[in-house]
Amino acid sequence: MHINDSEKLHITKLIMCSSNLVAALVGIGHTSQILMCQPGALSWSVRAYNQCKDFQDMSFYQGKLYTVAKDENLLMVNISQDHSTGDPQVSRIGQVIKGDSPPWYSRVFEDNSKAYKKLYLVESCGMLLMVRRTIWCQVPEPGGDDKVMAGKNEFEVFEADFEHSRWVKVSTVGDDQVLFLGRRCSRSMSVSQYGLPGNRIFFLDDDEDNRIEYAYDEENTSFGIYSMRFRSIRSGAPNISWKRCAEMYLAAWLFPEDR
């Protein structure tokens, strides 16, 4: 499948790599491609023979563009210039870390539970982190008409070890750091100046309408907070919530310098 075969395209993530370069994950369903453009340009560039893949997230880290696929492979995106138009384009996507995704994500257990996952890339304190978010779901009995229902969330954090080409699991993100996770934007921030405890993960229920794999019991949603220290989750502010479906796609983290 190629990007030009799709009638309905969806922007998953947009990154300003520099003042002269913008990168985007664009696709449909569980497949996407990486597109490039210069600010102010009338079109995006994509190489016709680049196959669509299940890219989960993308990050611009230390002057290089990286993306992580569902198999947890970390890929580096090389960018060149089109000789005929001068436009930026993806010249090569090469693997820098081979993922070690647990095999049980495709398995339905005896109690009809099944694990789904989301992956996020976040730069934090000079490191590139991958966050593996597991959503445990209840699968209906064979032949049943019920939906797959989402349950509890679990989080694991890994640091990219480029020297040894591997992911290294970490038990903390720092006593002064909080990770804010979202499909559109993820970020690490120092929070002691705001009087907030660190070593936590704030996350959104950010399912996209064209790749929803499970349903929820509640009509409304908000944000959740995961403690790396206590391995526990609590809900966010009770007075902040929004309806699922169309409204939830507008949810985003706003940071002080963004105001």
Side-chain angles (χ1 to χ4, degrees):
M1 174 183 174
H2 294 284
I3 206 77
N4 55 3
D5 297 328
S6 304
E7 296 181 358
K8 183 180 178 182
L9 299 179
H10 184 81
I11 296 178
T12 300
K13 192 162 191 178
L14 196 68
I15 293 180
M16 284 288 297
C17 301
S18 69
S19 59
N20 296 315
L21 181 64
V22 180
L25 277 181
V26 179
I28 184 169
H30 293 273
T31 55
S32 57
Q33 282 182 299
I34 300 172
L35 276 64
M36 299 287 172
C37 83
Q38 293 178 324
L42 298 178
S43 62
W44 293 81
S45 64
V46 58
R47 302 189 76 176
Y49 56 81
N50 281 351
Q51 290 290 323
C52 288
K53 296 183 179 181
D54 192 354
F55 295 124
Q56 291 275 303
D57 201 1
M58 184 169 63
S59 178
F60 192 68
Y61 170 71
Q62 294 188 355
K64 297 178 181 179
L65 186 64
Y66 293 92
T67 184
V68 64
K70 190 173 183 179
D71 55 11
E72 302 185 6
N73 288 345
L74 182 67
L75 310 168
M76 186 171 69
V77 182
N78 292 330
I79 303 167
S80 64
Q81 197 172 48
D82 187 289
H83 296 299
S84 59
T85 65
D87 294 331
Q89 65 176 9
V90 175
S91 60
R92 182 177 179 273
I93 300 178
Q95 178 179 299
V96 292
I97 292 179
K98 180 174 176 55
D100 187 22
S101 178
W104 41 261
Y105 275 103
S106 59
R107 173 185 171 188
V108 177
F109 293 89
E110 292 182 357
D111 61 353
N112 286 340
S113 63
K114 183 178 180 180
Y116 293 82
K117 71 175 175 180
K118 296 180 181 180
L119 302 175
Y120 304 85
L121 290 179
V122 193
E123 181 178 358
S124 179
C125 300
M127 302 176 294
L128 183 62
L129 304 179
M130 179 186 73
V131 181
R132 180 197 290 157
R133 175 182 175 184
T134 301
I135 302 99
W136 285 98
C137 298
Q138 199 66 26
V139 179
E141 295 285 349
D145 296 329
D146 294 334
K147 298 179 180 179
V148 177
M149 301 302 296
K152 68 176 182 178
N153 285 253
E154 295 177 351
F155 290 86
E156 297 170 279
V157 182
F158 301 83
E159 177 188 347
D161 180 354
F162 291 99
E163 182 178 355
H164 299 97
S165 300
R166 63 180 181 177
W167 292 112
V168 178
K169 189 173 182 178
V170 298
S171 59
T172 178
V173 297
D175 292 337
D176 185 40
Q177 296 294 313
V178 165
L179 303 185
F180 292 87
L181 300 184
R183 187 52 63 205
R184 299 289 182 268
C185 174
S186 295
R187 185 168 176 177
S188 173
M189 283 194 67
S190 173
V191 294
S192 59
Q193 59 183 314
Y194 303 108
L196 297 174
N199 205 21
R200 298 188 299 171
I201 297 174
F202 284 57
F203 62 97
L204 298 169
D205 280 335
D206 52 359
D207 304 293
E208 299 181 59
D209 57 352
N210 64 343
R211 56 188 302 173
I212 293 177
E213 299 176 291
Y214 39 80
Y216 295 86
D217 287 328
E218 303 87 2
E219 180 183 2
N220 293 337
T221 184
S222 182
F223 65 93
I225 303 172
Y226 176 76
S227 169
M228 290 287 291
R229 179 182 178 185
F230 298 108
R231 299 290 189 266
S232 61
I233 291 178
R234 68 177 180 86
S235 59
N239 59 333
I240 300 176
S241 67
W242 52 89
K243 291 186 180 297
R244 296 189 184 275
C245 300
E247 288 187 11
M248 67 188 294
Y249 311 135
L250 302 178
W253 299 114
L254 298 178
F255 301 98
E257 57 265 40
D258 294 333
R259 292 183 297 183

